[in-house]
C-alpha cells in the first residue's frame, strides 16, 4: 500500500515522505522580507491561494474528495512549470495530472502542518523522470533548450527587434549555463528561482538540510555568474 | 561581481516565468484529477490507515518513549527504512513494518543449560521487582535476569517436551525501552479473563531485545525472529509480560489468565 517514489534523475535526492523539519515552517524568502506567510494563508506563487491549506487537507482526508480541487487549482501552475523545468516537454500536462493523482493517494501520509507545494513538486519531478524513462524519451540537451526557449514571447508588439534578439540570446546563455552546472547546483537553482520556492520549501522539496540549500545556492550562483558573459555582450573577465 | 550576483536571481525568476508551460488552468486540471479519482474509485486518503487504528490511543506513551526509540533506530538501521508506524505497549514497542522478514520456523530460544540457576525470588532481588508466575505452567525450568535497573528483564523458561520451549519475559512496564517488535500485520487485541487488555501476535515477527554488558551499563540491541506471542501488562501496568512458545491463542490466554 505504501508506494515509495524513487529518486528522480532530474531531481536527485528527492524524498517524498520526509518533509524536512524546516519545510513545515515555510521560512522567509530571502530578499522579499516576507517572513510571515507560514500562517493559514498560503500563496502558491502562481497567483493561486489556498485559504488554510491544513484545513483543506483535513477535509480531503475526511473523505471530501471535492476539496482536493482547491489544492489542484492553486498548485497547477507551479506544477506545470516544474514538469517543464525537469524536461517533461509535451508530456507536462499528463505528468502533472498523474502527480496530483498520486499525491491524493499518498495524502494520508502527508505530514500534518507541512507545506503541500514542495511535497507535490517532488512528486512531479519523480513523475517526470518516470514518464521520460518509460517512453524512452530523454531529450537531447539542445532539443530541450529549444523547447524551453519557445516560451512566451517577451517582445511586446512593436518592440525593438534588436532588443528582443538580445534578450533571447541572454535566455539561451542562461539556460546553457544552467545545463552546464552539476546536478545538485542545477536543482537548487531551479527550485529556488525558476520555481520560486523559498529556502525552506526548497529544502523540503529536495530533502536537504536548509544549510545545504544555502551553501549550494551561493556556490551555484557564483558558477553561473562566472559562466555568463557580462550583460550587454561584454565578455566577463 | 556583487552586482552580477544580485541580478542573477531576478533573471532566473524571469526565466522560470517564461518557461513554455502548457495552457491548462487549475480548474481544468482539478476536473481531470477528480474525474480520474472517481473513475479509479480511489478511497479517501484517511490517516492513519484504518487497520492501524489501534496505534492511535498509544500515541501519548509513544511520545514519552521517543528518546528511547531513537536509540533503537540507531542501533538497528536496517529496520529504519520500512518503519511506518508503531505503538508502545507496556515496555514493548511494536512497529508496523511491511518489509520485515522474519525467518520461517525459527524456534524459541532454548532454556539455559545447567538447571534453574536462579530461584525466582533471587531473580526478583537482582531485577528489583517481583516477577509473577503463571500457575498454569508450574515451576520454571530456568530463570535468568538480563539487564539491570529499569531495563532488567526476568526470563522464565519451561521445556515443554519434544524440544519445544515456552518463555515468559517479565519486565517493568516503564517507558524505558527494552523490547521492540516489527510486525507485518497488526496484532490482535484480546482480553484476558480478568478483562486486562492484551495483544496476540499470531504470525512470526522480528523481536528486538536489549543486551547489556555484565555490569548492566551500556547496552546494545539484538534482533531475532519470534513466533506467536501474547503480550500483556500485569500489576496494574507496572509489569510487562510476553509469552512466547504457545502457538494456540486460547491456550496462551489461559496461561496469562493464571498469573495471580
Amino acid at each position: 500500500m505504501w508506494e515509495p517514489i524513487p529518486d528522480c534523475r532530474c531531481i536527485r535526492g528527492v524524498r517524498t515522505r520526509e518533509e524536512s523539519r524546516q519545510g513545515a515552517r515555510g521560512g522567509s524568502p530571502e530578499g522579499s522580507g516576507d517572513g510571515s506567510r507560514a500562517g493559514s494563508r498560503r500563496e502558491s506563487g502562481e497567483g493561486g491561494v489556498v485559504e488554510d491549506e491544513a484545513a483543506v487537507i483535513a477535509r480531503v482526508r475526511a473523505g471530501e474528495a471535492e476539496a482536493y480541487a482547491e489544492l489542484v487549482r492553486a498548485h497547477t501552475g507551479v506544477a506545470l512549470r516544474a514538469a517543464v523545468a525537469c524536461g517533461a516537454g509535451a508530456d507536462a500536462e499528463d505528468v502533472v495530472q498523474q502527480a496530483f493523482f498520486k499525491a491524493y493517494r499518498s495524502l494520508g501520509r502527508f505530514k500534518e502542518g507541512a507545506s503541500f507545494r514542495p511535497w507535490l513538486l517532488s512528486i512531479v519531478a519523480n513523475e517526470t523522470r518516470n514518464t521520460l524513462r518509460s517512453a524512452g524519451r530523454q531529450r537531447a540537451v539542445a532539443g530541450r533548450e529549444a523547447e524551453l526557449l519557445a516560451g512566451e514571447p517577451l517582445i511586446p508588439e512593436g518592440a525593438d527587434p534588436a532588443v528582443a534578439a538580445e534578450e533571447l540570446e541572454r535566455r539561451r546563455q542562461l539556460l546553457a549555463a544552467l545545463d552546464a552546472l552539476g546536478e545538485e547546483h542545477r536543482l537548487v537553482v531551479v527550485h529556488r528561482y525558476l520555481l520560486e520556492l523559498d529556502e525552506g520549501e526548497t529544502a523540503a522539496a529536495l530533502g536537504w538540510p536548509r544549510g545545504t540549500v544555502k551553501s549550494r545556492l551561493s556556490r551555484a550562483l557564483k558558477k553561473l555568474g562566472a559562466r555568463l558573459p557580462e550583460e550587454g555582450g561584454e565578455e566577463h573577465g | 561581481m556583487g552586482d552580477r550576483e544580485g541580478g542573477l536571481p531576478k533573471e532566473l525568476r524571469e526565466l522560470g516565468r517564461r518557461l513554455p508551460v502548457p495552457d491548462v488552468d487549475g480548474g481544468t486540471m482539478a476536473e481531470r484529477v477528480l474525474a480520474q479519482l472517481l473513475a479509479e474509485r480511489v478511497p479517501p486518503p484517511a490517516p492513519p490507515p484504518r487497520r492501524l487504528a489501534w496505534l492511535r490511543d498509544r500515541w501519548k506513551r509513544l511520545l514519552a518513549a521517543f528518546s528511547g526509540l531513537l536509540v533503537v533506530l540507531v542501533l538497528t538501521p536496517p529496520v529504519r527504512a520500512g518503519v511506518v508506524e508503531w505503538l508502545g505497549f507496556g515496555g514493548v514497542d511494536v512497529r508496523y513494518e511491511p518489509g520485515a522478514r522474519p525467518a520461517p520456523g525459527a524456534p524459541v530460544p532454548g532454556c539455559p543449560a545447567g538447571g534453574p540457576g536462579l530461584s525466582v525470588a533471587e531473580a526478583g532481588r537482582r531485577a528489583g521487582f517481583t516477577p509473577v508466575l503463571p500457575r498454569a505452567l508450574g515451576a520454571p525450568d530456568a530463570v535468568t535476569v538480563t539487564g539491570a535497573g529499569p531495563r532488567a528483564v526476568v526470563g522464565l523458561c519451561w521445556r515443554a517436551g519434544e524440544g519445544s520451549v515456552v518463555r515468559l519475559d517479565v519486565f517493568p512496564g516503564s517507558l524505558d525501552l527494552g523490547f521492540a517488535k516489527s510486525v507485518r500485520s497488526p496484532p490482535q487485541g484480546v482480553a484476558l479473563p480478568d478483562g486486562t487488555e492484551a495483544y496476540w501476535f499470531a504470525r512470526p515477527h522480528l523481536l528486538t531485545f536489549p543486551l547489556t554488558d555484565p555490569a548492566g551499563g551500556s547496552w546494545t540491541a539484538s534482533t531475532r525472529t519470534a513466533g506467536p506471542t501474547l503480550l500483556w501488562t500485569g500489576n496494574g501496568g507496572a509489569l510487562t509480560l510476553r509469552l512466547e512458545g504457545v502457538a494456540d491463542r486460547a491456550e496462551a490466554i489461559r496461561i496469562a489468565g493464571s498469573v495471580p
Side-chain angles (χ1 to χ4, degrees), chain B residues 54-211:
Chain B
W54 50 274
L55 288 166
R56 232 172 291 151
D57 45 5
R58 306 291 169 210
W59 189 241
K60 281 182 190 155
R61 275 195 240 199
L62 171 65
L63 286 182
F66 191 59
S67 58
L69 285 170
L70 286 184
V71 173
V72 161
L73 284 182
V74 170
L75 291 173
T76 56
V79 170
R80 246 172 107 179
V83 173
V84 179
E85 300 281 0
W86 43 38
L87 97 148
F89 179 76
V92 177
D93 287 290
V94 179
R95 306 164 179 190
Y96 170 59
E97 195 197 337
R101 290 279 173 273
V108 181
C111 300
L118 285 176
S119 70
V120 175
E122 175 60 19
R125 265 192 300 280
R126 290 198 194 174
F129 63 88
T130 310
V132 289
L133 276 176
R135 288 197 196 97
L137 288 175
D141 292 312
V143 181
T144 55
V145 176
T146 50
R151 291 204 182 104
V153 177
V154 173
L156 305 164
C157 195
W158 292 263
R159 295 186 187 92
E162 290 175 22
S164 74
V165 167
V166 173
R167 275 187 87 81
L168 179 68
D169 290 310
V170 187
F171 48 101
S174 69
L175 295 173
D176 225 339
L177 192 76
F179 287 73
K181 286 168 177 292
S182 300
V183 299
R184 285 201 287 170
S185 49
Q188 196 183 352
V190 294
L192 299 185
D194 67 352
T196 305
E197 126 189 87
Y199 284 104
W200 173 246
F201 296 76
R203 315 251 312 264
H205 54 278
L206 294 180
L207 173 71
T208 303
F209 54 101
L211 292 175

Side-chain angles (χ1 to χ4, degrees), chain A residues 87-178:
Chain A
D91 296 318
E93 279 183 58
D94 293 339
V95 161
V96 167
Q97 181 179 338
Q98 206 52 32
F100 275 120
F101 180 74
K102 288 194 173 169
Y104 177 91
R105 285 198 319 195
S106 312
L107 206 58
R109 294 185 300 271
F110 179 71
K111 197 172 128 200
E112 251 171 90
S115 161
F116 182 73
R117 186 161 51 151
W119 184 69
L120 171 72
L121 293 185
S122 64
I123 297 177
V124 169
N126 282 304
E127 198 52 35
T128 303
R129 197 268 319 251
N130 292 343
T131 302
L132 292 185
R133 196 178 48 190
S134 64
R137 270 178 292 161
Q138 286 293 2
R139 286 168 175 76
V141 169
R144 248 197 80 191
E145 219 170 87
E147 268 175 24
L148 294 177
L149 285 172
E152 163 200 339
L154 46 147
I155 334 116
E157 298 203 17
D160 184 347
V163 173
E166 218 171 82
E167 288 208 23
L168 193 66
E169 172 60 13
R170 179 68 184 172
R171 280 166 65 204
R172 198 196 57 72
Q173 288 167 349
L174 257 181
L175 281 169
L178 252 182

